Amino acid sequence: AQSVTQLGSHVSVSEGALVLLRCNYSSSVPPYLFWYVQYPNQGLQLLLKYTSAATLVKGINDFEAEFKKSETSFHLTKPSAHMSDAAEYFCAVRGSNYKLTFGKGTLLTVNP
Amino acid sequence: GAVVSQHPSRVICKSGTSVKIECRSLDFQATTMFWYRQFPKQSLMLMATSNEGSKATYEQGVEKDKFLINHASLTLSTLTVTSAHPEDSSFYICSARLPGNTGELFFGEGSRLTVL
């Protein structure tokens, strides 16, 4: 079985500051991991994914995440936050039959 | 990237009526689509897996007679909320699986259902 834990339901940063959103996973098989972003009343947009290739994954809008097997983590980072980054972020792990299990989400607020 | 479209984006209906939500993959054929439900400020909960040409597979606790899923073609899956009640009010999101080994999922824009 798979599960995802996102530490911190709400993260607030200043514009230009580092963004760090935490995700820990549990998986009975080598995991495929994903980060999605959701803007209000919209669907999910894929930021990046880990599929057992490079452990440091680069995504869109300068986001990146590092897969650390020893820590069962897949934290999302961005060097410099923009106001447009304010949104809900979901970490997900893929299980059998391509089903995704999502974390509870982290709301990112960017302050001017 | 691939495009998945949902319609309608918003729907308001009276209690007891049925509502149909469509999910279309616009530029690829999707043998598998997924339907999720999202409550305010919460995560996505998988409701069912929709397989083209066969019956949907429902997650535990999801009423299949309440939430009818039809995947009649490789580009269209529909979710019908039957005899809707206020507690069915929610944000419903579909995703379609890209064919091939990566099986990447693309999400629709979501449909907000409000049952009065």
Side-chain angles (χ1 to χ4, degrees):
Chain A
Q2 285 74 33
S3 67
V4 173
T5 301
Q6 289 184 243
L7 295 175
S9 59
H10 187 193
V11 170
S12 182
V13 301
S14 298
E15 192 174 16
L18 171 72
V19 175
L20 171 61
L21 305 183
R22 299 179 186 274
C23 172
N24 288 88
Y25 70 91
S26 172
S27 178
S28 55
V29 297
Y32 278 24
L33 295 160
F34 304 82
W35 274 101
Y36 288 90
V37 61
Q38 184 181 35
Y39 296 97
N41 292 309
Q42 293 188 27
L44 274 68
Q45 180 183 7
L46 180 66
L47 284 176
L48 47 80
K49 61 184 177 185
Y50 167 75
T51 57
S52 74
T55 57
L56 182 62
V57 181
K58 293 187 183 298
I60 62 172
N61 300 334
D62 295 327
F63 282 96
E64 62 181 39
E66 186 172 8
F67 172 72
K68 292 187 176 180
K69 184 178 180 180
S70 61
E71 298 177 8
T72 61
S73 69
F74 190 56
H75 301 330
L76 181 71
T77 60
K78 180 172 179 175
S80 176
H82 292 177
M83 296 297 290
S84 60
D85 295 326
E88 187 90 27
Y89 291 80
F90 292 96
C91 181
V93 61
R94 193 170 86 183
S96 62
N97 297 323
Y98 299 94
K99 293 180 183 179
L100 290 182
T101 299
F102 289 89
K104 294 187 175 182
T106 299
L107 178 65
L108 176 65
T109 302
V110 182
N111 303 309
Chain B
V3 179
V4 175
S5 177
Q6 265 183 259
H7 178 80
S9 58
R10 290 179 178 271
V11 55
I12 301 173
C13 70
K14 293 182 179 180
S15 186
T17 61
S18 295
V19 173
K20 180 184 287 187
I21 301 170
E22 294 185 348
C23 178
R24 293 181 184 273
S25 55
L26 298 185
D27 50 1
F28 67 99
Q29 293 183 330
T31 55
T32 303
M33 293 184 177
F34 299 92
W35 285 96
Y36 299 84
R37 182 173 181 176
Q38 185 179 32
F39 292 101
K41 300 186 186 302
Q42 294 190 31
S43 188
L44 283 76
M45 180 192 78
L46 179 64
M47 299 174 66
T49 303
S50 172
N51 300 298
E52 188 270 335
S54 64
K55 291 183 179 181
T57 304
Y58 289 82
E59 296 299 303
Q60 192 172 10
V62 177
E63 299 176 63
K64 60 182 180 182
D65 295 330
K66 158 71 83 174
F67 300 101
L68 299 180
I69 292 172
N70 186 297
H71 195 153
S73 79
L74 287 171
T75 60
L76 173 64
S77 176
T78 60
L79 168 67
T80 301
V81 183
T82 63
S83 186
H85 291 282
E87 57 265 30
D88 299 324
S89 298
S90 192
F91 194 56
Y92 293 89
I93 304 176
C94 73
S95 68
R97 184 172 76 84
L98 200 65
N101 291 335
T102 63
E104 186 169 336
L105 298 185
F106 291 89
F107 286 79
E109 311 95 324
S111 300
R112 171 117 8 236
L113 171 63
T114 302
V115 184
L116 302 177

